[in-house]
Amino acid sequence: MGQEPYVEEYTIQAGDFTAIGEASTKFRATLKMLGIPSEVVRRAAVVAYEAEMNAMIHAGGGTLRMTVASDHLEIMAADQGPGIPDVALAMQEGYSTASDEIRELGFGAGMGLPNIERNSDGMNIETEVGIGTILTARINFPGQ
Ligand SMILES: Nc1ncnc2c1ncn2[C@@H]1O[C@H](COP(=O)(O)OP(=O)(O)OP(=O)(O)O)[C@@H](O)[C@H]1O
Ligand SMILES: [Mg+2]
């Protein structure tokens, strides 16, 4: 289509549990407004929510960005948290380092990263211990 991609970005505050899922909720509204197919909206909302919560819970906050192109969208979460020492381990269902306090809030099932993988058409994690993490996930639009 030759159009500029649409970009939307939010800051995620550390441990701000009054703002749970705020950025991903805004992304969902934007995608609906843009007329993106509902199945894509659903998958994008899952990916964005899990990435947002990981940045909030494990990394002291960060940035969540969505880029919508003509044939796909991309969600990126970037943080300057502790990094992930073993990505393959972190990707396993049920693996979590969440504290008891966090678990009492209903997080820490170790399902976030596997859910992101399941709901995207490709994800990538760039991480360095002591530096931070950048997660990107792509979702293709049907028929593309
Ligand atoms: N941005 C991040 N920075 C540092 N560590 C992270 C980050 N994202 C994930 N991790 C690590 O990977 C583990 C697994 O993440 P995942 O999202 O799958 O589970 P969880 O967040 O612990 O629980 P759930 O997502 O089910 O509430 C986390 O417990 C944490 O150790
Ligand atoms: Mg998680």
Side-chain angles (χ1 to χ4, degrees):
M1 287 205 290
Q3 281 180 342
E4 290 289 305
Y6 175 90
V7 181
E8 191 169 327
E9 184 174 307
Y10 298 104
T11 299
I12 306 155
Q13 304 291 343
D16 181 2
F17 291 101
T18 63
I20 284 176
E22 210 169 70
S24 38
T25 301
K26 286 177 179 163
F27 286 174
R28 181 199 283 266
T30 296
L31 291 172
K32 279 190 187 167
M33 191 197 69
L34 291 172
I36 302 300
S38 59
E39 177 62 8
V40 173
V41 177
R42 189 194 65 75
R43 296 171 76 207
V46 171
V47 168
Y49 177 78
E50 295 295 353
E52 178 176 8
M53 293 319 298
N54 280 353
M56 185 187 278
I57 289 171
H58 304 295
T63 305
L64 196 70
R65 180 192 297 168
M66 177 175 74
T67 305
V68 186
S70 59
D71 62 346
H72 75 281
L73 66 83
E74 197 172 280
I75 288 165
M76 185 195 80
D79 66 62
Q80 297 180 7
I84 305 175
D86 186 338
V87 173
L89 182 61
M91 288 296 302
Q92 284 182 20
E93 290 191 8
Y95 176 82
S96 177
T97 59
S99 64
D100 290 345
E101 215 178 319
I102 291 294
R103 285 166 198 267
E104 273 165 28
L105 294 171
F107 302 101
M111 290 306 293
L113 293 176
N115 255 329
I116 291 172
E117 187 172 46
R118 202 173 298 127
N119 283 282
S120 64
D121 295 304
M123 72 178 281
N124 181 58
I125 296 176
E126 261 178 73
T127 186
E128 205 176 324
V129 172
I131 303 287
T133 300
I134 301 174
L135 178 148
T136 46
R138 176 188 172 112
I139 299 175
N140 297 325
F141 298 162
Q144 305 291 327

